[in-house]
Amino acid sequence: MRREAMIGAAILMVTMLLLTLGCGPQATPAARAPAGEIPIGAIMDTTGPTSDVGKDYASGIQDAIRWINDHGGVNGKRIRLILNDYGYRIPEAITLYKRYRDIDKVIAVLGWGTGDTSALAPTVAKDQIPFISASYSGELTDPSKTPYNFFAASDYTTNARAALLAWYEEIWLKDERFKAEREAGKKPRIMMFYSFPTPYSSAPIKGLKEFAQMLGFEIGPDQDVPLTALDAKSQVLAAKEFNPHVIWHGNTTQSVVTAIRDAKALGLQADHLVNNWGYDENLIKLLGPQAEGVIGIAVSAFYGENVPGMDAVVEAAQKYNPALKERLIRTVQAWANVKLLVEALKKADAAGQLNGPGIKAAIESFQNLDVGLGVPPLTYTPDDHRPTSMVRIYIVRNGKFELLKLVDLKEKFADQWPKWKGY
């Protein structure tokens, strides 16, 4: 009997281990949420190489869910948030997802990075679990390939094209600095600084280069800048040989600050364009006067800006996490994704379809959904998950973010817009 008991215990332990690793019984497609409770998983980076922006985003996710629960939940149902750090390691994200699916029985996931979101995309499609991520990678916008991936922002490649267009139209064609070169018929020159092996950083590069060629730019050699870079002098010296008029920065804030600071110190006379995850309040704080003239993308309002919905964001931050004194635009971006998910949950629940396919159908029915927070109206269809073609481009002037141009790529390039889906 003792031997049989030991064998039984061993079998139980192995079964639990396999279940944790995702090797056990799979969650049935379209599993329903328990009555009165909606389990949602969250995979966040609060300790890894993108934690300079990830910590604030994770705090925003927590604030937003608590606020929703304290204000009626989802048609009276509370959201049970299961949030864990994965340190920006793809295997950790996969393990967390399997745990959420098999043990916590979540019906949707709030994700983070491009590498892990892309790696999980085939699995979430098979499992029919909507995945609303902080990765705005263009490859996630083609439902024929990634049908269960969504986000509440313009995608990375749309952002990059819009930023380059704004610089070309508002700076290159107008600024006196470039008058002699324009009149001599010279082309503007651009280089890209980003982390080569990081999917997030490299996501828009193909589309950005194609667009630069369309506008008549000369393109210099890319420079590999790690996400955790504390020194970018060698990359700046290499850039000086090409002498670009403008540099695209594709990393997160801390790395972008390093590159811009070294460019200024080494006398590289170039303007700087920054993707949305490298452009926030900390950029001005860390660079000081060197931030003047830096151009970048914001997919929502900055924290505390006077826009609809911001009162709740600020009140929740002060109520739920007062120890975190300085909030960023990342908190607002988190709220935008949560509000997209919650609107879908409400609609799916009202239709009696509070499950993965029901949530997906709800999101794909949204036309000009207004989540506030300075986010453009969001539209999704079963054929296109690009929620908007409108991008706000900002420039730092007198130590503050100032709107440089609102770009609508679909309106300006109607013939190209359909071809740009999915990258």
Side-chain angles (χ1 to χ4, degrees):
M1 289 294 293
R2 182 178 179 184
R3 181 171 178 273
E4 291 176 353
M6 291 176 65
I7 293 173
I11 292 173
L12 179 61
M13 289 178 65
V14 171
T15 301
M16 291 300 295
L17 178 60
L18 290 173
L19 188 59
T20 301
L21 294 174
C23 301
Q26 301 297 298
T28 57
R32 289 185 172 275
E37 178 184 79
I38 302 172
I40 302 295
I43 300 171
M44 301 285 115
D45 179 16
T46 59
T47 60
T50 61
S51 61
D52 55 335
V53 291
K55 287 184 289 187
D56 195 73
Y57 184 89
S59 295
I61 292 290
Q62 293 171 308
D63 290 349
I65 296 296
R66 288 189 66 178
W67 179 269
I68 296 298
N69 283 338
D70 287 350
H71 290 79
V74 176
N75 302 336
K77 298 180 176 69
R78 291 183 62 82
I79 296 173
R80 178 166 64 90
L81 178 68
I82 310 106
L83 184 150
N84 285 280
D85 167 49
Y86 78 114
Y88 210 61
R89 295 181 293 269
I90 293 175
E92 297 267 351
I94 293 172
T95 298
L96 278 174
Y97 170 78
K98 290 177 178 179
R99 193 193 96 182
Y100 291 160
R101 178 194 65 194
D102 299 340
I103 298 177
D104 298 302
K105 305 296 183 183
V106 302
I107 61 169
V109 175
L110 292 160
W112 177 249
T114 298
D116 39 282
T117 300
S118 296
L120 283 167
T123 304
V124 303
K126 179 186 175 190
D127 297 337
Q128 298 181 310
I129 296 178
F131 203 96
I132 294 86
S133 70
S135 168
Y136 311 145
S137 178
E139 70 172 335
L140 301 171
T141 62
D142 184 352
S144 69
K145 299 176 181 176
T146 55
Y148 275 79
N149 287 90
F150 302 93
F151 44 78
S154 46
D155 68 87
Y156 292 148
T157 315
T158 295
N159 292 343
R161 292 186 181 110
L164 187 59
L165 182 66
W167 182 86
Y168 179 78
E169 293 183 340
E170 300 301 319
I171 308 298
W172 173 255
L173 294 181
K174 297 179 180 180
D175 199 307
E176 287 295 313
R177 291 177 296 158
F178 307 124
K179 182 178 180 180
E181 291 181 273
R182 290 197 305 267
E183 292 179 348
K186 292 188 177 181
K187 295 180 178 181
R189 298 183 297 277
I190 186 172
M191 292 184 71
M192 285 77 173
F193 279 38
Y194 63 99
S195 173
F196 290 1
T198 304
Y200 140 70
S201 302
S202 60
I205 299 302
K206 176 178 180 286
L208 179 57
K209 287 184 176 180
E210 289 178 358
F211 192 65
Q213 290 173 337
M214 183 189 303
L215 295 178
F217 279 74
E218 291 183 20
I219 303 172
D222 295 357
Q223 297 301 307
D224 187 7
V225 182
L227 283 176
T228 55
L230 299 176
D231 185 299
K233 293 183 179 65
S234 62
Q235 293 90 336
V236 171
L237 290 172
K240 290 187 76 172
E241 295 181 15
F242 181 72
N243 193 26
H245 295 102
V246 64
I247 294 174
W248 166 260
H249 295 271
N251 290 350
T252 54
T253 306
Q254 185 63 58
S255 176
V256 170
V257 165
T258 296
I260 293 176
R261 183 181 289 145
D262 285 349
K264 300 282 187 180
L266 294 174
L268 177 60
Q269 300 297 315
D271 287 348
H272 301 277
L273 294 181
V274 184
N275 84 101
N276 73 276
W277 289 109
Y279 201 72
D280 60 26
E281 297 86 341
N282 274 340
L283 181 129
I284 294 178
K285 178 182 176 182
L286 294 171
L287 279 176
Q290 292 181 329
E292 286 296 300
V294 175
I295 296 170
I297 300 142
V299 297
S300 70
F302 292 92
Y303 181 79
E305 200 173 337
N306 185 21
V307 297
M310 190 63 73
D311 288 349
V313 176
V314 173
E315 184 178 338
Q318 294 171 347
K319 179 179 180 180
Y320 301 134
N321 198 352
L324 191 57
K325 300 295 185 184
E326 297 183 4
R327 289 300 188 98
L328 308 172
I329 189 175
R330 312 311 173 195
T331 284
V332 187
Q333 291 175 248
W335 270 75
N337 266 352
V338 169
K339 291 184 79 172
L340 169 64
L341 175 59
V342 168
E343 289 303 311
L345 291 173
K346 289 179 179 179
K347 190 167 185 176
D349 180 58
Q353 296 293 324
L354 191 53
N355 53 41
I359 297 166
K360 175 180 181 289
I363 295 177
E364 290 176 340
S365 73
F366 290 146
Q367 298 289 309
N368 295 317
L369 175 69
D370 183 8
V371 298
L373 307 176
V375 177
L378 304 172
T379 295
Y380 306 83
T381 73
D383 300 317
D384 196 340
H385 285 182
R386 289 175 295 180
T388 180
S389 60
M390 298 176 63
V391 187
R392 289 186 178 91
I393 309 301
Y394 289 80
I395 186 169
V396 178
R397 287 183 176 146
N398 300 314
K400 295 182 179 179
F401 295 113
E402 179 180 307
L403 184 66
L404 176 65
K405 194 179 187 72
L406 175 61
V407 177
D408 188 337
L409 279 189
K410 183 178 181 180
E411 180 180 75
K412 195 169 184 70
F413 297 96
D415 58 332
Q416 297 292 325
W417 182 252
K419 304 174 187 176
W420 287 342
K421 179 178 68 175
Y423 77 100

